[in-house]
């Protein structure tokens, strides 16, 4: 038995998949909208089923401004009954043609399931309008209006930034069993119409052009020091982890570090000690141009056949300083992981999802000795194996929910908002008292100087 306490989350909603189908470790994505006067919250989750169905899950706002869960099932164009969705990813941006907000959805799938299966990538765009769900006006924007055929079976699809002359754009990266990574980049026609065409991955990501002995199952990419450096970490079918540090301007690899594991890598997540919370505009004057310190970056690695682990300060140490997450192998394979501050202490926790139907949350102290750096904080049981985890504020109340994709559907886990509100009240009181003490000290100094 574990010494961990029970989870601080409760299951608030469950969106079941259509009968006879399921998803996989690549089957969930989320995107953010910024529409004013919206009738729903800003964060949305997409869940893909192997049979080609996709569910949009969101919280709609009632007349009394209370969030109510809604889920809508749709099917993307060109995904036939003989197709099987492998992975999906999504992001939002402003359209170059219209200036309005659009969603860009990337889907990989296979046809002729079984021997001789062929892989494809399809990319769609649709305007994000208040009155019309985006999936009713999706358009294929892959070259020639058709899915792009690829060698091998697709694995992960993810989006990443590229920079040219200080201007950023977003591309899709697709790993396959060739093994190879494909890159799809937006190209604008004369009428500003958008088309995504395959481009050389080495032109933008020299680290992903290198030959690998086995397929890249997961990759994570993070920019550092005002986009001067790029940190890339990949995990393969055979368990090899590779970390790259790249000079962005030169697209030159500065550092490479490898670690050999056992069995397929099921998750790669780079993270810092503290949540990345932007400074509110009204507080910016207090910083008076001060630069925030660059965070220390670590990476979480999950394996299907061995214990999950963290590599500390990868920019400095590469993959040399490994910390094992004890007991993570007690509930069958660890299939996924995510990072979030679940206990409101201002530090990130590590959250794992297992095939053994458990969610495990670990405390992590990056400055502690190895044997004291992590411990199991709590565990949460579900009825089905867990394929994917995303921590995002779906209800718009300022507290991150846990979106959990299991073998049978999407579970939304939420914290007690009253407890969170109480904690905010306590900390505001503490802050107020600190200001009062500071005022007394300053007044005392003023009196002494007189």
């Amino acid at each position: 038995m574990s010494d961990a306490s029970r989870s601080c989350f409760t299951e608030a909603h469950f969106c079941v998949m259509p009968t006879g189908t399921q998803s996989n470790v690549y089957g969930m994505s989320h995107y953010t909208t910024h529409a004013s006067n919206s009738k729903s919250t800003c964060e949305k989750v997409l869940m893909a089923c192997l049979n080609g169905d996709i569910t949009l899950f969101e919280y709609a706002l009632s007349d009394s401004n209370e969030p109510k869960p809604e889920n809508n099932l749709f099917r993307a164009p060109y995904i036939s009954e003989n197709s099987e969705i492998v992975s999906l990813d999504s992001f939002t941006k402003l359209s170059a043609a219209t200036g309005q907000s659009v969603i860009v959805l990337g889907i990989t799938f296979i046809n002729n399931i079984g021997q001789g299966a062929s892989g494809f990538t399809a990319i769609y765009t649709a305007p994000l309008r208040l009155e019309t769900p985006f999936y009713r006006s999706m358009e294929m924007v892959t070259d020639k209006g058709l899915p792009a055929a690829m060698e091998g079976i697709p694995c992960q699809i993810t989006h990443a930034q590229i920079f040219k002359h200080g201007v950023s754009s977003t591309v899709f990266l697709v790993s396959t069993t060739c093994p190879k990574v494909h890159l799809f980049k937006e190209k604008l026609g004369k009428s500003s119409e958008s088309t995504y065409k395959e481009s050389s991955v080495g032109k933008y990501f020299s680290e992903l052009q290198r030959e690998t002995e086995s397929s890249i199952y997961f990759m994570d990419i993070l920019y550092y020091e005002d986009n001067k450096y790029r940190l890339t970490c990949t995990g393969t079918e055979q368990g090899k982890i590779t970390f790259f540090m790249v000079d962005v301007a030169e697209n030159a690899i500065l550092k490479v570090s490898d670690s050999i594991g056992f069995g397929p890598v099921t998750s790669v997540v780079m993270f810092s000690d503290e949540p990345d919370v932007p400074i509110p505009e009204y507080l910016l004057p207090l910083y008076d141009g001060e630069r925030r310190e660059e965070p220390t970056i670590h990476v979480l690695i999950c394996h299907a056949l061995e214990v999950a682990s963290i590599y500390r300060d990868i920019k400095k140490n590469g993959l040399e300083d490994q910390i094992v997450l004890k007991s993570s192998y007690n509930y069958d394979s660890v299939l996924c992981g995510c990072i979030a501050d679940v206990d409101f202490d201002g530090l990130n926790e590590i959250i794992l999802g297992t095939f053994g139907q458990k969610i495990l949350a670990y405390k992590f102290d990056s400055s502690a000795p190895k044997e004291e750096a992590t411990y199991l904080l709590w565990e949460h049981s579900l009825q089905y194996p867990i394929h994917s985890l995303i921590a995002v504020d779906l209800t718009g109340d300022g507290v991150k929910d846990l979106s959990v994709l299991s073998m049978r559907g999407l579970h939304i886990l939420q914290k007690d908002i009253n407890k969170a509100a109480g904690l905010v009240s306590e900390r505001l009181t503490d802050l107020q008292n600190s200001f009062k003490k500071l005022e007394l000290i300053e007044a005392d100094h003023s009196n002494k100087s007189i």
Side-chain angles (χ1 to χ4, degrees):
M1 284 291 291
S2 169
D3 293 330
S5 63
R6 289 188 60 188
S7 163
C8 52
F9 285 90
T10 56
E11 188 166 342
H13 188 76
F14 176 54
C15 174
V16 68
M17 289 182 189
T19 304
T21 189
Q22 63 181 54
S23 190
N24 62 26
V25 294
Y26 303 120
M28 180 165 62
S29 175
H30 92 281
Y31 66 93
T32 305
T33 62
H34 300 284
S36 59
N37 302 318
S38 177
K39 294 181 180 179
S40 64
T41 55
C42 291
E43 303 289 349
K44 326 285 185 182
V45 169
L46 294 169
M47 172 181 68
C49 300
L50 299 184
N51 71 349
D53 290 331
I54 300 174
T55 298
L56 167 64
F57 181 89
E58 62 183 334
Y59 278 85
L61 298 176
S62 66
D63 293 338
S64 58
N65 215 35
E66 291 186 7
K68 301 292 183 184
E70 282 191 1
N71 49 273
N72 292 283
L73 194 68
F74 67 95
R75 197 174 189 91
Y78 292 95
I79 308 293
S80 70
E81 293 182 358
N82 295 322
S83 302
E84 185 174 289
I85 289 181
V86 178
S87 53
L88 85 164
D89 189 35
S90 58
F91 63 91
T92 55
K93 70 181 190 73
L94 294 179
S95 167
T98 65
Q100 70 176 141
S101 183
V102 298
I103 182 173
V104 185
L105 176 63
I107 298 174
T108 71
F109 62 96
I110 55 176
N111 283 340
N112 304 318
I113 301 167
Q115 290 187 345
S118 50
F120 297 87
T121 296
I123 300 174
Y124 308 85
T125 63
L128 291 171
R129 301 189 183 102
L130 297 181
E131 65 278 6
T132 308
F134 79 84
Y135 49 83
R136 293 183 182 171
S137 54
M138 290 171 60
E139 292 183 4
M140 175 83 71
V141 291
T142 320
D143 192 21
K144 299 178 183 177
L146 296 170
M150 297 178 295
E151 293 181 58
I153 304 301
C155 301
Q156 182 190 24
I157 181 170
T158 187
H159 63 275
Q161 299 295 307
I162 58 173
F163 295 88
K164 186 176 182 180
H165 307 307
V167 179
S168 70
S169 57
T170 306
V171 299
F172 279 113
L173 296 167
V174 182
S175 60
T176 65
T177 58
C178 293
K180 182 181 178 182
V181 176
H182 299 256
L183 181 146
F184 293 90
K185 183 178 182 294
E186 183 182 27
K187 294 184 181 297
L188 296 176
K190 294 180 180 179
S191 60
S192 295
E193 292 182 353
S194 173
T195 303
Y196 279 79
K197 294 185 177 182
E198 185 165 0
S199 300
S200 167
V201 69
K203 182 178 179 181
Y204 304 98
F205 296 90
S206 56
E207 67 274 29
L208 297 179
Q209 186 176 243
R210 289 166 37 120
E211 291 186 8
T212 58
E213 297 176 0
S214 64
S215 310
I216 293 175
Y217 272 9
F218 280 91
M219 54 187 151
D220 196 17
I221 296 169
L222 184 149
Y223 285 89
Y224 200 80
E225 292 188 17
D226 292 329
N227 306 318
K228 182 178 181 181
Y229 301 109
R230 181 170 64 243
L231 308 182
T232 301
C233 197
T234 62
T236 71
E237 178 186 14
Q238 294 180 359
K240 184 178 181 180
I241 311 300
T242 308
F243 165 71
F244 303 90
M245 182 174 171
V246 180
D247 181 300
V248 174
E250 301 296 328
N251 195 25
I253 299 173
L254 304 176
K255 178 187 288 188
V256 181
S257 182
D258 295 322
S259 178
I260 306 298
F262 180 64
V265 172
T266 55
S267 188
V268 175
V269 185
M270 285 188 281
F271 67 99
S272 57
D273 293 308
E274 299 178 1
D276 184 16
V277 180
I279 301 171
E281 287 187 13
Y282 64 88
L283 290 179
L284 286 175
L286 297 178
Y287 287 82
D288 195 25
E290 283 185 36
R291 287 174 56 91
R292 298 175 79 175
E293 286 188 19
E294 292 288 348
T296 301
I297 302 299
H298 321 285
V299 63
L300 167 67
I301 303 293
C302 302
H303 286 271
L305 301 179
E306 62 178 306
V307 66
S309 60
I310 298 167
Y311 292 90
R312 290 193 290 193
D313 196 355
I314 53 176
K315 186 171 179 287
K316 175 184 176 183
N317 303 320
L319 300 178
E320 299 297 324
D321 190 3
Q322 181 185 21
I323 296 174
V324 168
L325 294 174
K326 299 175 183 178
S327 303
S328 61
Y329 53 80
N330 286 354
Y331 304 101
D332 213 318
S333 298
V334 179
L335 296 183
C336 54
C338 74
I339 307 298
D341 177 11
V342 296
D343 59 1
F344 304 121
D345 65 349
L347 297 172
N348 279 322
E349 280 76 52
I350 292 90
I351 308 171
L352 306 178
T354 73
F355 189 82
Q357 307 172 13
K358 287 282 189 179
I359 301 172
L360 309 175
Y362 286 83
K363 291 295 292 181
F364 173 55
D365 183 352
S366 63
S367 62
K370 275 191 175 185
E371 62 275 8
E372 301 172 9
T374 66
Y375 66 87
L376 187 59
L377 180 64
W378 52 253
E379 56 188 50
H380 187 103
S381 297
L382 292 181
Q383 293 180 313
Y384 310 105
I386 298 159
H387 287 159
S388 184
L389 296 166
I390 296 176
V392 66
D393 179 15
L394 286 171
T395 54
D397 59 11
V399 179
K400 285 190 175 181
D401 310 300
L402 198 57
S403 301
V404 184
L405 178 63
S406 75
M407 185 179 284
R408 288 295 297 124
L410 178 65
H411 309 252
I412 305 300
L413 307 186
Q414 296 178 346
K415 298 201 72 169
D416 187 335
I417 191 63
N418 293 321
K419 289 183 179 180
L423 186 59
V424 170
S425 179
E426 287 177 18
R427 291 183 178 172
L428 286 174
T429 301
D430 291 342
L431 188 62
Q432 207 170 27
N433 292 336
S434 297
F435 279 127
K436 288 180 180 178
K437 289 179 182 179
L438 186 61
E439 289 173 357
L440 290 173
I441 292 171
E442 289 178 345
D444 185 52
H445 280 297
S446 298
N447 292 333
K448 287 181 180 179
S449 61
I450 293 172

